[in-house]
Amino acid sequence: MTPVTPVTPVTSPTGTAAAGPAPVPSFAVISGAQVQQALHGREREIVNLVEATYRLHGAGRTVNPPSYFLRFPDRPTSRIIALPASVGAPVAVDGLKWISSFPENVAAGVPRASAVLILNDPATGYPFACLESSIISATRTAASAALAADRLSRNRTRPTRVGFFGTGLIARYIHTFLTGTGWSFDAVGVYDVSADSAAGFCGYLKQAGAEGPGSCGAVTVHDSPEELIRSSDLVVFATVAGEPHVTEPSWFAHHPVVLHVSLRDLDPRILLDSANFVDDVEHCLKADTSPHLTEQLTGGRDFLDGTLDDVLTGRVEPPADRTVIFSPFGLGVLDLAVGKFVHDEVARSGRLRVVDDFFHELCRYG
């Protein structure tokens, strides 16, 4: 691999120049450091990109087949998920995210999730880039959450008290995207079953500028889930829960906006007492998510009020007098859109690392 290969400005998804593009693209590897550099400080831009991608998906200009879960009988808590997808113009890219979740990593001081993203040229089908994708995955998740928080709260008083239930990487990215898109909070609540994780998140919040009176700066570490939920107008669930563990609808009597990012925290009774929005109905109602369990309990999907795209396009208006829950399954098309953005930014900077001779057998008869 060449350390750094300068490239000319790109005009195609493969990164080739406009004049005389090769039929087979070059293949590049983009590191996590490069991904982070390309995305740093661009929260508003990425939220706009995610919104545009949701609109493409809602208009039928994407292909997003079911994710495939690779599970292991000897490691029941672990899994690797394949998310194939295709995004039409103007993004114009196909590809696959391959993301693992091994919760036991955390005890060893290693992040739970790791991922790569493969981008394919829609003209030839050839892959043209492999990107470190845990950052891309966290970014698209956080951008989706920030977009939903904004659009689902526009017809009510904007939340000023946010509570984070689960304080890992995803919670950190969601907080970054909320503040990076103009949110400010009078109070930040934290709850985690791990005191060390809660303390680490508080440290991040202090560095991010959440200073002030009270426990842990402007942040309150709550002793119970009930305390956190009742004291928050915007609740973010970012856990690794495999089944519902929050079961009391009365905790939501103040009708907060809930970003149910981890999908399996809430008992169906809470969903039945709320207005429910998802990113994609067919994707979200499977794999024993809380919406899937609610469908199994009720025998139907009437508890769903719509998708985020329905809200974006004005087809559905979220109620102001009920709890509103956003349960996103996480769409591969979002990973592709963000990954393509990163690839093009790295290419424009002239720091695309191309693997020489990656494609070798290019002559049919040798």
Side-chain angles (χ1 to χ4, degrees):
M1 180 189 300
T2 55
V4 177
T5 299
V7 297
T8 53
V10 298
T11 57
S12 78
T14 63
T16 55
V24 175
S26 59
F27 185 81
V29 175
I30 299 175
S31 71
Q34 290 179 298
V35 171
Q36 192 166 60
Q37 184 177 24
L39 294 173
H40 180 71
R42 307 181 81 162
E43 289 85 9
R44 290 184 186 273
E45 193 171 354
I46 299 303
V47 169
N48 289 339
L49 173 62
V50 165
E51 177 176 353
T53 307
Y54 273 132
R55 290 177 180 268
L56 285 174
H57 185 65
R61 294 167 61 189
T62 66
V63 181
N64 205 112
S67 303
Y68 181 82
F69 285 69
L70 176 62
R71 299 186 183 276
F72 314 97
D74 60 330
R75 291 159 285 161
T77 63
S78 300
R79 64 180 186 264
I80 308 179
I81 311 173
L83 290 83
S86 175
V87 186
V91 178
V93 69
D94 310 326
L96 172 78
K97 180 171 78 169
W98 181 240
I99 182 167
S100 68
S101 175
F102 280 52
E104 282 73 18
N105 286 353
V106 176
V110 179
R112 171 186 61 85
S114 59
V116 293
L117 180 70
I118 301 295
L119 302 181
N120 291 74
D121 175 13
T124 65
Y126 273 76
F128 63 89
C130 176
L131 299 84
E132 195 287 327
S133 196
S134 66
I135 295 170
I136 290 172
S137 186
T139 294
R140 63 87 151 144
T141 300
S144 169
L147 175 65
D150 176 48
R151 293 308 184 103
L152 295 175
S153 63
R154 286 195 172 184
N155 62 344
R156 62 172 69 199
T157 301
R158 191 173 175 91
T160 59
R161 303 178 301 163
V162 64
F164 289 91
F165 196 130
T167 56
L169 178 76
I170 297 300
R172 171 162 66 87
Y173 268 75
I174 291 175
H175 180 268
T176 297
F177 265 79
L178 288 170
T179 57
T181 52
W183 287 79
S184 60
F185 301 103
D186 298 333
V188 180
V190 173
Y191 176 80
D192 199 293
V193 295
S194 166
D196 289 343
S197 294
F201 191 61
C202 285
Y204 152 74
L205 290 170
K206 283 186 174 181
Q207 291 179 352
E211 302 285 351
S215 175
C216 193
V219 181
T220 300
V221 180
H222 291 281
D223 294 327
S224 70
E226 180 179 2
E227 282 184 9
L228 176 84
I229 294 166
R230 288 189 182 275
S231 64
S232 304
D233 306 315
L234 176 65
V235 184
V236 179
F237 284 93
T239 76
V240 294
E243 59 186 23
H245 54 97
V246 176
T247 60
E248 183 50 64
S250 66
W251 295 356
F252 300 83
H254 57 302
H255 304 315
V257 173
V258 179
L259 304 178
H260 187 210
V261 175
S262 37
L263 278 177
R264 295 172 177 84
D265 303 274
L266 301 178
D267 186 274
R269 291 174 295 172
I270 295 171
L271 273 67
L272 291 173
D273 203 38
S274 307
N276 294 280
F277 296 88
V278 297
D279 53 359
D280 182 281
V281 174
E282 296 302 327
H283 282 75
C284 197
L285 271 65
K286 62 178 58 176
D288 291 331
T289 64
S290 293
H292 187 206
L293 295 178
T294 306
E295 179 188 31
Q296 294 176 44
L297 177 66
T298 63
R301 299 178 173 183
D302 291 345
F303 68 94
L304 291 179
D305 291 72
T307 66
L308 183 57
D309 182 62
D310 289 329
V311 177
L312 296 175
T313 56
R315 291 190 295 267
V316 178
E317 183 173 332
D321 58 352
R322 298 177 66 196
T323 299
V324 173
I325 300 175
F326 177 55
S327 299
F329 192 82
L331 301 179
V333 293
L334 301 183
D335 295 281
L336 288 187
V338 175
K340 179 63 164 41
F341 174 90
V342 170
H343 171 271
D344 291 352
E345 287 301 307
V346 175
R348 270 190 283 268
S349 74
R351 300 189 65 81
L352 198 63
R353 295 168 176 166
V354 174
V355 180
D356 294 328
D357 301 321
F358 186 82
F359 300 111
H360 180 63
E361 279 282 7
L362 297 177
C363 183
R364 191 171 188 182
Y365 299 109

